[in-house]
Amino acid sequence: MYARNVSIHLKPNMLSDYTQTFEKDVLPLLRKQNGFRDEIAFSGPGGTDVTAISLWDNKANAEAYNSDTYPQLLNTLVKMMDGTPKVQTFEAVSSTFHHVAVAA
């Protein structure tokens, strides 16, 4: 399994707009992507820092999303963001929810 961690700094008082847009526009597109498994988003105190972690079957699926769909989603969220999101990628080594075992 492969993970993408996207850190976003929102403009003040935009968490509600972000959450609504995420549910209405982002999640439906993610669910259509090959290899998409799950998404979990967190908000920090004050509601201006958001971290969204998506889980993918493999690196190739995550990279295809990154090049084909992610730029489109950024355009949807740009009015709420302050700055450029930071994207990090990881190979998942353990998940109790997704039953991923530690790689040997």
Side-chain angles (χ1 to χ4, degrees), residues 5 9-10 23 27 34 38 44 52 57 66 71 73-74 78 81 83 88 92 97:
N5 179 340
H9 187 72
L10 298 174
E23 290 288 330
L27 281 178
N34 288 334
D38 194 16
D57 283 338
N66 190 62
L73 291 179
L74 278 182
V78 72
M81 297 186 309
Q88 295 177 294
F97 187 76

Side-chain angles (χ1 to χ4, degrees), residues 2 34 56-67:
Y2 200 72
N34 288 334
W56 300 83
D57 283 338
N58 55 54
K59 183 177 180 178
N61 291 139
E63 288 178 344
Y65 161 77
N66 190 62
S67 62

Side-chain angles (χ1 to χ4, degrees), residues 37-79:
R37 299 283 298 272
D38 194 16
E39 176 82 14
I40 185 168
F42 306 92
S43 169
T48 56
D49 292 306
V50 173
T51 299
I53 300 170
S54 58
L55 298 175
W56 300 83
D57 283 338
N58 55 54
K59 183 177 180 178
N61 291 139
E63 288 178 344
Y65 161 77
N66 190 62
S67 62
D68 298 337
T69 306
Y70 180 66
Q72 175 186 344
L73 291 179
L74 278 182
N75 285 335
T76 303
L77 300 172
V78 72
K79 65 182 178 276

